[in-house]
Amino acid sequence: MLLKDLPVDARPREKLLNLGPQALADAELLALLLRTGLKGRSVLAWAQELLDRFSGIAGLLHAPVEELAGVKGLGPAKRAELVAVLELARRALAAELQARPVFQAPAQVKDYLRLHLARKPHEVFAVLFLDAQNRLLAMEELFRGTLTQTSVYPREVVKRALAHNAAAVMLAHNHPSGLAEPSKADEYLTHTLKSALALVDVQVLDHFVVGHRDVVSFAERGLL
């Protein structure tokens, strides 16, 4: 079933234009991207099935491309659109963080990290490199590990900070378990990196632990 075949008051596009995007359910927004359903299933029903399968919109958008390729009905065009939506959101947030000091947008920093790291199936350690005005220069995923741990090498973090001519950094890593609670090992690593970077006059402003839903800030917890 095409969206145009739905009753006018049930069409997500018309509803969005008349009431705004906030008036649409997740399945309705997803249906706008999918446009067509499958044989025997309307596009809205199929959209809801996808959300159920991937545990919500975040799980769907963060799903690996190869996993999406195994879903009946998600051809290359639809898969590309889903990946593009997430990348557009990442780039929009990055542009805002590059335009003003990160301390003026703490919620956006957390959103940016959540979009990058929240649903990865393995642990990733990333660094946000900042200029002297605390604006974002770049974010790099420097180390990748297993489901439970990642080896982080302070020397490599220092090298990348110098390469970016960074004045400060923010550290971040995800917990694939979904829980954003910092561990004692996380605290030890933070202080090790803080000491190493201080030798080249680079300040560590924060360390974020990213879970599926929450992002915990070391600075807010008083752990720096």
Side-chain angles (χ1 to χ4, degrees):
M1 179 182 288
L2 300 173
L3 289 178
K4 67 180 182 180
D5 295 328
L6 294 170
V8 174
D9 60 354
R11 295 176 189 171
R13 181 181 302 164
E14 283 71 15
K15 189 174 177 181
L16 182 148
L17 293 174
N18 291 330
L19 302 175
Q22 68 280 356
L24 273 66
D26 289 350
E28 292 175 307
L29 288 170
L30 180 57
L32 282 173
L33 288 176
L34 298 174
R35 293 188 303 279
T36 59
L38 301 178
K39 186 176 180 180
R41 277 176 285 178
S42 72
V43 64
L44 283 170
W46 185 38
Q48 188 58 58
E49 287 180 20
L50 287 174
L51 294 176
D52 293 341
R53 174 172 178 168
F54 288 93
S55 301
I57 195 69
L60 177 62
L61 291 179
H62 284 89
V65 175
E66 56 271 20
E67 186 175 352
L68 295 176
V71 179
K72 181 181 178 182
L74 283 184
K78 286 185 171 65
R79 295 199 303 272
E81 289 175 356
L82 290 173
V83 173
V85 167
L86 182 58
E87 184 59 25
L88 284 170
R90 288 170 175 161
R91 294 188 186 191
L93 282 170
E96 293 184 16
L97 295 175
Q98 289 164 352
R100 58 176 175 161
V102 293
F103 286 131
Q104 293 181 10
Q108 288 178 328
V109 174
K110 290 183 178 181
D111 288 341
Y112 181 64
L113 292 171
R114 191 181 293 111
L115 285 173
H116 274 279
L117 303 176
R119 296 283 174 165
K120 289 187 179 294
H122 46 264
E123 192 166 297
V124 172
F125 185 88
V127 181
L128 283 73
F129 300 97
L130 311 175
D131 65 14
Q133 285 73 45
N134 290 331
R135 293 173 302 196
L136 181 66
L137 293 169
M139 172 181 167
E140 293 186 10
E141 296 181 7
L142 294 183
F143 308 104
R144 176 177 295 187
T146 65
L147 183 64
T148 57
Q149 64 180 358
T150 301
S151 296
V152 177
Y153 301 97
R155 180 173 178 271
E156 293 302 314
V157 178
V158 171
K159 284 174 58 178
R160 296 309 300 156
L162 292 174
H164 285 288
N165 196 27
V169 298
M170 287 181 163
L171 314 172
H173 75 281
N174 65 313
H175 281 177
S177 66
L179 300 177
E181 197 62 30
S183 67
K184 290 297 182 182
D186 294 336
E187 292 183 39
Y188 177 78
L189 173 62
T190 303
H191 289 288
T192 299
L193 290 171
K194 187 175 179 181
S195 297
L197 287 161
L199 295 175
V200 291
D201 295 322
V202 176
Q203 186 179 4
V204 175
L205 301 182
D206 209 337
H207 186 168
F208 296 94
V209 182
V210 182
H212 287 177
R213 296 183 181 276
D214 300 321
V215 179
V216 171
S217 160
F218 272 49
E220 292 176 356
R221 288 277 186 93
L223 297 175
L224 282 180

